[in-house]
Amino acid sequence: MSWMPPAVAELSAEVHENTGITPGVERVGSELWRMTIENERVKNVIDFKRTSGARWVWKKSILTVDGEPFPPRDTHAEFYDLFLNTDAVLERLGAEEEPEHAGHGHGHGHGH
């Protein structure tokens, strides 16, 4: 691909450096670029929009793990950890979210 907005190019280079993969990048309109970072289990689709000037900024991300929506990570480092060590991160998050002493009968409607 030829030109891409600096914000997209920089994140693409960072993703490659941290994961070893090159994300898919596409222009999906005059005001929107989309980056897709995925492996067998984790997929993150990131949209960048153009501001009123010529700058491009993050618009939204859609993160899924095993095809299910997953809460966005707070930092890039947390995302890379999830991407590279999915099982370990899911175990750790499960342990944090479900303390042994918590009552499990309070129905969050997860629909599993």
Side-chain angles (χ1 to χ4, degrees):
M1 177 172 291
S2 52
W3 183 87
M4 67 177 79
V8 178
E10 288 166 15
L11 183 57
S12 178
E14 180 188 311
V15 167
H16 184 267
E17 185 177 309
N18 285 279
T19 66
I21 67 155
T22 301
V25 176
E26 62 184 325
R27 188 171 195 157
V28 290
S30 61
E31 305 295 318
L32 193 67
W33 281 76
R34 178 165 293 151
M35 179 181 293
T36 303
I37 308 162
E38 64 184 319
N39 61 18
E40 302 80 34
R41 302 194 57 199
V42 178
K43 181 175 183 178
N44 195 10
V45 179
I46 305 166
D47 286 349
F48 294 85
K49 67 175 181 176
R50 185 162 50 185
T51 62
S52 54
R55 289 190 56 231
W56 291 82
V57 296
W58 175 87
K59 180 182 178 187
K60 69 174 182 173
S61 299
I62 299 171
L63 179 61
T64 57
V65 175
D66 296 331
E68 298 289 324
F70 200 80
R73 304 293 81 205
D74 292 330
T75 66
H76 290 193
E78 286 182 15
F79 169 74
Y80 298 132
D81 191 29
L82 174 67
F83 191 86
L84 298 169
N85 308 297
T86 308
D87 285 331
V89 171
L90 293 178
E91 279 182 33
R92 198 163 60 237
L93 292 174
E96 289 173 9
E97 291 172 7
E98 297 182 26
E100 292 302 315
H101 59 275
H104 290 285
H106 44 275
H108 286 297
H110 291 299
H112 289 293

